[in-house]
Amino acid sequence: MELIDGNRIAAAIIAELTAEVAALPGRKPCLALVRVGEDPASVSYVRKKETTAAAIGVTGRVILPPVNITQAGLEAIVDELNADPAVDGILVQSPLPKHLDELAIFRRIAPPKDVDGLGTVNLGKVAQEDATGFVSCTPAGIMELLARSGVDLNGRHVVVLGRSLLVGKPVALLALQKKAGANGTVTICHSGTRDLATLTRLADVLIAAIGRPEFVTADMVKPGAVVIDVGINRVADATNKKGYRLTGDVHFPSVAPLCAKITPVPGGVGPMTVAMLMKNTVKARRLGAG
Ligand code: NAP
């Protein structure tokens, strides 16, 4: 079994981007990070994005609207950032408080600044295999992890567990694209899927993105498969000083010995998501939307 080291691969991408930003003429790329409320996971994700941006030479602009901001208020912030020529990329951290329409906010971000890739135009470009768009960061990170780990999906059966707009659907479309590294045969499973384990056992490459701690067990995995664990779940743990530990959607201790390759949690897909956000922001600057 080979561990796919997301920290190492993300660090390589960050180093490449740092050199690219240093060589860019004119002002540095600018990423606006909008976080509404104090959801602890969102606080930590936005902080990580901010510090990574700073390390690369990308200017981070953090905007913290109050948790009771209205839909119109948040839309006005997005409109202002859309119109600001000094801003290249905009990310509105998900999840938003329940009273806000998250999808409407994602759609409102101008497509050339939609570096999180969750708006209609950029998701459409994934379906159209149009490389001028921004691929959302977690699915893009998964594809990059596979490519840089020498996993070619061509002709292989890829089973995606989960059909969210954030991960499952776009990663399935990417794996399906008719291009080098992709060209997989894709099955998508969700909560309505019957005989789930029968399908997951057919996977040459299994991508688990369901948000259920340690859901995928050894009996669900074909020996020799490549397993990508996207899940980030907080599980109560009194022995940990934070009171919780992070676990993936895969039961790592039983599944890892079976696999050809597997990502750990933490240290697998997570760091790649941040690296791909930076890559998209640098791309936005190069394309000159700001
Ligand atoms: P989500 O929006 O909650 O979607 C979960 C998907 O899994 C849904 O399609 C759901 O099916 C399916 N599902 C749930 N329980 C299932 C079950 N028992 N059997 C089969 N399918 C089931 O979650 P998400 O945003 O995609 O995130 C998934 C996980 O990835 C979470 O742990 C999240 O924290 C993590 N994540 C990590 C990163 C990263 O950077 N590493 C980024 C994003 C998300 P239905 O559609 O039928 O409801």
Side-chain angles (χ1 to χ4, degrees):
M1 182 276 291
E2 187 191 312
L3 203 61
I4 299 179
D5 185 346
N7 282 323
R8 185 183 57 75
I9 295 172
I13 294 168
I14 297 289
E16 291 162 18
L17 289 173
T18 307
E20 193 179 337
V21 171
L24 275 178
R27 74 166 171 77
K28 296 304 171 202
C30 173
L31 171 64
L33 295 159
V34 182
R35 169 168 64 76
V36 182
E38 297 298 322
D39 171 70
S42 295
V43 170
S44 110
Y45 292 153
V46 169
R47 191 180 305 127
K48 179 71 187 157
K49 289 166 185 173
E50 195 186 353
T51 54
T52 307
I56 291 175
V58 167
T59 309
R61 194 191 292 181
V62 180
I63 297 135
L64 302 172
V67 69
N68 60 354
I69 190 166
T70 61
Q71 184 75 18
L74 189 56
E75 287 178 1
I77 289 174
V78 170
D79 291 349
E80 229 175 88
L81 294 169
N82 281 340
D84 187 338
V87 171
D88 300 293
I90 303 168
L91 176 135
V92 178
Q93 184 64 45
S94 167
L96 287 172
K98 290 276 174 279
H99 68 280
L100 297 169
D101 180 348
E102 188 168 270
L103 211 47
I105 296 294
F106 292 157
R107 289 192 189 116
R108 198 161 184 109
I109 297 171
K113 297 190 179 190
D114 175 25
V115 288
D116 212 14
L118 297 173
T120 309
V121 169
N122 284 304
L123 281 167
K125 285 188 175 185
V126 172
Q128 292 177 350
E129 307 197 14
D130 176 346
T132 66
F134 297 107
V135 178
S136 63
C137 304
T138 302
I142 295 166
M143 296 304 286
E144 193 78 23
L145 263 188
L146 290 168
R148 292 192 188 221
S149 305
V151 180
D152 188 344
L153 301 183
N154 187 20
R156 302 182 84 186
H157 187 192
V158 180
V159 176
V160 179
L161 258 178
R163 60 174 159 191
S164 72
L165 206 58
L166 189 60
V167 188
K169 274 183 200 145
V171 83
L173 282 171
L174 290 169
L176 190 64
Q177 287 188 342
K178 196 168 182 176
K179 67 176 206 188
N183 208 28
T185 299
V186 180
T187 299
I188 308 178
C189 302
H190 47 77
S191 65
T193 300
R194 281 190 205 154
D195 299 329
L196 192 81
T198 307
L199 292 168
T200 58
R201 271 198 301 273
L202 293 174
D204 300 312
V205 177
L206 179 62
I207 301 174
I210 59 172
R212 303 264 180 255
E214 303 183 329
F215 179 91
V216 176
T217 46
D219 57 310
M220 297 168 74
V221 178
K222 176 165 78 176
V226 173
V227 175
I228 304 294
D229 188 353
V230 187
I232 301 181
N233 308 293
R234 288 185 177 205
V235 176
D237 183 353
T239 67
N240 190 305
K241 69 174 189 300
K242 288 180 176 161
Y244 67 87
R245 66 186 165 86
L246 290 182
T247 181
D249 289 345
V250 175
H251 185 253
F252 189 89
S254 67
V255 172
L258 279 177
C259 298
K261 296 175 196 249
I262 186 168
T263 59
V265 176
V269 176
M272 292 300 293
T273 297
V274 180
M276 300 317 282
L277 174 66
M278 299 305 144
K279 199 167 177 161
N280 279 348
T281 303
V282 175
K283 180 178 176 182
R285 175 73 187 107
R286 267 196 288 102
L287 294 178

